[in-house]
Amino acid sequence: MTERAIHRIAVNTGGGDAPGLNAVIRAIVLSSLHRGWEVLGIHKGYEGLLDTSKIIQLDRDSVRGITHIGGTILGTTNKNSPFEYPTKLPSGEVTLVDRSDEVVDAFRRLRIDALIAIGGDGSMRIASQFAAKGLPIIGVPKTIDNDLSGTVVTFGFDTAVMVASEAIDRLHSTAEAHERVMVVEVMGRYAGWIALHSGVASTADVILIPEIPFDFSAVCEKINDREARGRRFSIVVVAEGAKPAGGQLTVKGHELGREVQLGGIAELVAREISARTGKETRTVVLGHLQRGGAPTTFDRLLALRFGAAAVRMVEARQFNHMVALDPPRVHAVPLEVATSRMKCVPLDGDTMQTARDLGISFGDEVG
Ligand code: F6P
C-alpha cells in the first residue's frame, strides 16, 4: 500500500519558553512551504487542539523577521497536559481528567499528517504518549535547563548561561566594593548545568548544584579562606534545585496539574553564610531574565538546524523520534531515549574537573 503524501503538518510549543523557539518555527514553516506542505500553528501546547478556534495557518509572513525574537509566536504553557487536564467538577472540586482523545479527534478532523512538538522533558513525555495513541509525532528538544537526554545540548541553554554570566560579572564589582558575599540563584530545575557553566565562565568562588548536596561548613570555609587571603568578597552561584546534605529542596509553590515551583534557596544560603561568617550577604534571583530576550547566535543556529531537520524527519516518516545534536551532526533519537532519564551534570566530566582545578568550591570538601 502506498503511503499518503504529506499535505499538512502542525507545530506547537510547550513547556517554559526558551530563546530560539521562534527560530525553530521559522525553519519548520519555510522548509515545509518549500516542499509544498501547509503548516498549522497550534496555540499554547495542546490547548489549541482542545479548542481548535485558536489554530492558525502559518505562512511566509507569519514567520518573517522572528529568528532573533525571544518567546514564541504560538504561545506556550507548562501546565495542563491533555492526559491530566485540571477540570472543575460541578461540586467546585478540581480534578485531573484525561482529554487526550479530544486531541486525537481534532488532529484527525483537521487532516494533520504530522505534528512537530517543540518542548522540554514534559512535552516529550506527552509527545510519546500521543505517539503511543498512533499520532505521527516528531519532537524538537528545547529547554534552558539542558536536562534532556539524547541530545548534547538544547537550544535556550547557551542564552541562559550568557545572561547568568553577564549578571555574575556585574556582581563582582559591587561585591568587592562592599566586601560582601553575593549569592546568585539561577534556574535549571533538578540539574546544575546553568549554575556550573555560568559560574565557571564568570569566576564564581562557590557553585552549588543539585547533583552535589552541599555542606554549609565547606561553603563558609571557602569564604573564610578568601577573607584570610585578603579577598574580602565572594560570589556564590546556587542552582534553584540545590539542597544542603540531608536537607530539602526549597519550594515556592505547588499547583494541581503542573510541576512544583522551585525557588528561594539563595535566601537560605545567604542567611546561613551571614550567621556563620559574620559577613554581610545579599541575594540576587535571576529568574525569568534567563529565559527572556534574543537567543545567542549559537541558539539561533541550533534552533534553525533542529527545525529544518524535523521537517526532513517528517518527509522520511521517522515518527516517534526527537531531533538531537550529536556534534557535528543533527540526528534522530527515539522519543523514549529523551524521556528515559534526566540529563544531570556528570560529576567526573571535564567542566567539573576544570572548576575544581580552578579552586572553585562545590560545598562538598571541608579542608
Ligand atoms: O524549565 C525551565 C524553567 O525556567 C526552570 O528552570 C524553572 O524551574 C521553571 O521553568 C520555572 O517555571 P515558571 O515559568 O512556571 O516559573
Side-chain angles (χ1 to χ4, degrees):
M1 202 176 81
T2 51
E3 277 176 301
R4 198 175 109 80
I6 305 283
H7 291 294
R8 176 180 296 155
I9 70 159
V11 54
N12 69 356
T13 52
D17 67 322
L21 283 170
N22 285 325
V24 187
I25 297 169
R26 177 175 160 88
I28 290 171
V29 170
L30 296 186
S31 307
S32 300
L33 296 179
H34 184 68
R35 287 164 170 77
W37 307 344
E38 269 179 58
V39 186
L40 300 183
I42 301 171
H43 185 61
K44 271 179 110 174
Y46 292 90
E47 298 276 341
L49 284 169
L50 292 171
D51 171 8
T52 50
S53 66
K54 297 220 174 107
I55 287 187
I56 52 168
Q57 181 105 20
L58 295 172
D59 58 17
R60 223 163 257 285
D61 285 340
S62 339
V63 296
R64 184 159 290 140
I66 62 168
T67 304
H68 64 294
I69 310 282
T72 160
I73 58 168
L74 295 176
T76 190
T77 175
N78 55 6
K79 46 190 180 187
N80 305 351
S81 157
F83 289 88
E84 288 178 308
Y85 199 88
T87 306
K88 201 169 188 171
L89 299 175
S91 63
E93 187 201 340
V94 178
T95 185
L96 299 177
V97 171
D98 182 354
R99 296 186 62 186
S100 58
D101 284 342
E102 292 173 56
V103 169
V104 175
D105 287 349
F107 191 93
R108 306 244 189 263
R109 214 172 46 247
L110 292 161
R111 299 184 66 76
I112 298 169
D113 298 309
L115 170 68
I116 300 180
I118 314 170
D121 57 339
S123 306
M124 292 306 124
R125 216 160 290 124
I126 296 172
S128 200
Q129 288 174 284
F130 276 121
K133 279 182 161 260
L135 294 194
I137 295 205
I138 283 166
V140 174
K142 147 282 18 168
T143 166
I144 64 163
D145 304 336
N146 194 34
D147 58 354
L148 257 171
S149 289
T151 184
V152 166
V153 73
T154 45
F155 67 86
F157 172 63
D158 188 59
T159 309
V161 170
M162 186 203 70
V163 171
S165 294
E166 278 181 7
I168 299 164
D169 285 347
R170 283 177 183 278
L171 291 171
H172 269 89
S173 55
T174 171
E176 185 162 18
H178 285 265
E179 300 183 343
R180 283 173 173 158
V181 177
M182 301 292 312
V183 183
V184 190
E185 181 174 316
V186 298
M187 284 185 165
R189 293 204 70 79
Y190 310 111
W193 294 102
I194 299 177
L196 176 66
H197 284 224
S198 61
V200 174
S202 299
T203 325
D205 303 298
V206 179
I207 301 174
L208 304 176
I209 58 175
E211 290 83 350
I212 306 179
F214 60 87
D215 183 341
F216 279 114
S217 327
V219 173
C220 295
E221 188 177 283
K222 173 73 187 177
I223 293 165
N224 288 334
D225 278 358
R226 283 176 55 77
E227 193 83 5
R229 285 186 287 110
R231 306 295 283 156
R232 298 180 56 83
F233 71 99
S234 288
I235 305 284
V236 178
V237 176
V238 58
E240 61 181 358
K243 55 182 181 198
Q248 300 295 318
L249 280 172
T250 313
V251 169
K252 222 156 78 181
H254 193 70
E255 205 183 302
L256 192 66
R258 60 161 297 165
E259 275 204 66
V260 66
Q261 210 187 342
L262 300 176
I265 182 71
E267 203 48 53
L268 192 135
V269 169
R271 241 184 287 130
E272 194 67 25
I273 290 174
S274 176
R276 291 184 183 222
T277 64
K279 289 214 55 87
E280 206 174 27
T281 56
R282 291 289 186 273
T283 56
V284 176
V285 179
L286 290 180
H288 295 80
L289 278 175
Q290 294 158 98
R291 288 204 332 226
T296 59
T297 317
F298 179 88
D299 279 339
R300 286 181 209 185
L301 184 58
L302 184 61
L304 292 167
R305 290 175 71 197
F306 276 179
V311 169
R312 292 197 295 274
M313 281 162 62
V314 172
E315 194 166 41
R317 291 181 160 69
Q318 205 169 8
F319 299 123
N320 203 5
H321 278 70
M322 181 187 86
V323 182
L325 180 71
D326 179 17
R329 66 190 179 133
V330 164
H331 70 146
V333 296
L335 272 176
E336 70 207 28
V337 168
T339 54
S340 57
R341 64 182 180 86
M342 192 190 308
K343 186 180 72 190
C344 291
V345 169
L347 298 186
D348 56 355
D350 166 75
T351 313
M352 283 295 296
Q353 195 56 54
T354 303
R356 293 210 191 262
D357 285 343
L358 291 170
I360 296 171
S361 165
F362 288 91
D364 58 342
E365 281 172 353
V366 191

